[in-house]
Amino acid sequence: MPSLTETPGVMSLLRHATEGRRSKTGGGGVFKMFKLLPMLSSGCKMVALLGRPSKTMLADKAVAVTFFGYRRGRVSLAIQEDPRSPPFFLIELPMLTSSLHKEMASGLVKIALESETRTHKKKLVEEYVWAVYCNGRKSGYSIRRKQVSDEERHVMQLLRGVSMGAGVLPCLSEKDAADGELTYMRARFERVVGSKDSESLYMINPDGSGGAELSIFLVRLK
C-alpha cells in the first residue's frame, strides 16, 4: 500500500500548496489567537468580538472549518458551507487536541485525509473511512460521522455567529469538564476541487496576507 508521500494525488496537492502559497510563518492569522488559548477562560466574549466577518473572510468558494475538542481528548474537524448550516463533513481525528495545539504553535500545518475506498457512487466528502496524516506523519484512521452528537451540536450552536476565532467554550456538563477545557479554532477556508477524487482547503488569513498557515487535503486513492 503506498504511503502518503508516495501517493501521486497527495503529492500534487502538497506541491500546489508549497509552490503557490509560500509565505512567512507567524503572520497575522488565526494562529496568533490560538497561542492565547491558555489565557482565555470563556469563549463567550470571543464569540461577541469575532462574529463580525470581513469581506476577505467571506471570499467566494469559502467554507467554515472548525477544530474543536477537550484539551485531554481527541480533536474533531467540522466543515460547513457557512457557520449557520450543519456540517457536511464531520470527523473525530485520531490525535489529541493538545497535540494539534503544539503543531499549530510551531508554524505551518498540513493535514491530509486519504480514503482507500472507491465506490464511484459517493462524493469525496461522503466517504466514511479515512487515513489521517499531520505534516506527513500518519496519525491513524477515522470514520466520518453520520450523525451529529449532542456535544458536537452544542459546539455548532455556540459558534453559529462566529466566522473566525479561537477560544474556550462552556462545557455541556461538569462530567465533560473532566477532560479539560473545550477549545475551538474556526476560520474561513478557500475550497479548491481538483477532481472528483481530490479537494484542498486553504485557510484565509483575516489580514488578507498571502499564504495559508493551515491546509487540509482530501484524497481518494485510485
Side-chain angles (χ1 to χ4, degrees):
M1 181 183 300
S3 66
L4 174 70
T5 55
E6 296 171 340
T7 305
V10 175
M11 287 299 295
S12 176
L13 290 171
L14 291 175
R15 191 177 302 112
H16 174 68
T18 302
E19 295 177 354
R21 299 169 183 274
R22 287 178 178 167
S23 67
K24 296 180 180 179
T25 58
V30 181
F31 279 21
K32 277 192 173 182
M33 270 182 273
F34 212 73
K35 293 177 183 179
L36 297 176
L37 279 174
M39 302 168 58
L40 303 174
S41 59
S42 173
C44 297
K45 187 174 182 180
M46 295 292 288
V47 169
L49 292 173
L50 299 172
R52 303 182 180 90
S54 67
K55 292 183 180 179
T56 303
M57 292 158 53
L58 298 177
D60 292 339
K61 298 182 180 179
V63 295
V65 173
T66 310
F67 290 91
F68 62 94
Y70 292 97
R71 288 186 186 275
R72 291 190 290 273
R74 291 191 174 187
V75 63
S76 294
L77 164 66
I79 306 176
Q80 303 161 268
E81 294 292 349
D82 63 71
R84 296 182 178 276
S85 64
F88 64 82
F89 187 84
L90 177 61
I91 193 169
E92 183 181 78
L93 301 177
M95 58 189 305
L96 295 176
T97 302
S98 57
S99 298
L100 182 61
H101 289 186
K102 291 179 181 178
E103 292 286 350
M104 290 181 170
S106 65
L108 298 178
V109 176
K110 293 183 175 66
I111 295 177
L113 287 81
E114 187 178 81
S115 173
E116 300 171 0
T117 305
R118 189 173 176 85
T119 62
H120 298 284
K121 296 181 180 180
K122 293 180 181 178
K123 295 180 180 179
L124 178 61
V125 294
E126 294 176 346
E127 295 290 357
Y128 287 114
V129 182
W130 297 86
V132 180
Y133 299 81
C134 182
N135 284 342
R137 299 184 298 273
K138 189 171 184 178
S139 302
Y141 288 88
S142 290
I143 298 177
R144 180 179 63 83
R145 294 291 180 87
K146 296 181 180 179
Q147 295 181 333
V148 180
S149 68
D150 290 341
E151 185 68 57
E152 292 158 347
R153 189 176 295 106
H154 168 71
V155 172
M156 294 297 102
Q157 184 65 33
L158 288 174
L159 297 178
R160 279 176 61 86
V162 179
S163 294
M164 180 276 291
V168 178
L169 297 170
C171 297
L172 187 60
S173 66
E174 293 184 3
K175 181 180 179 180
D176 295 324
D179 289 328
E181 295 172 312
L182 176 58
T183 66
Y184 80 93
M185 188 209 78
R186 170 172 284 178
R188 300 292 293 177
F189 279 64
E190 178 189 359
R191 185 182 185 186
V192 180
V193 178
S195 70
K196 63 180 180 180
D197 297 314
S198 66
E199 291 190 17
S200 308
L201 300 168
Y202 302 99
M203 190 173 76
I204 301 172
N205 292 326
D207 61 0
S209 61
E213 295 173 297
L214 174 57
S215 305
I216 303 170
F217 308 95
L218 290 86
V219 178
R220 180 162 47 195
L221 296 182
K222 298 181 179 180

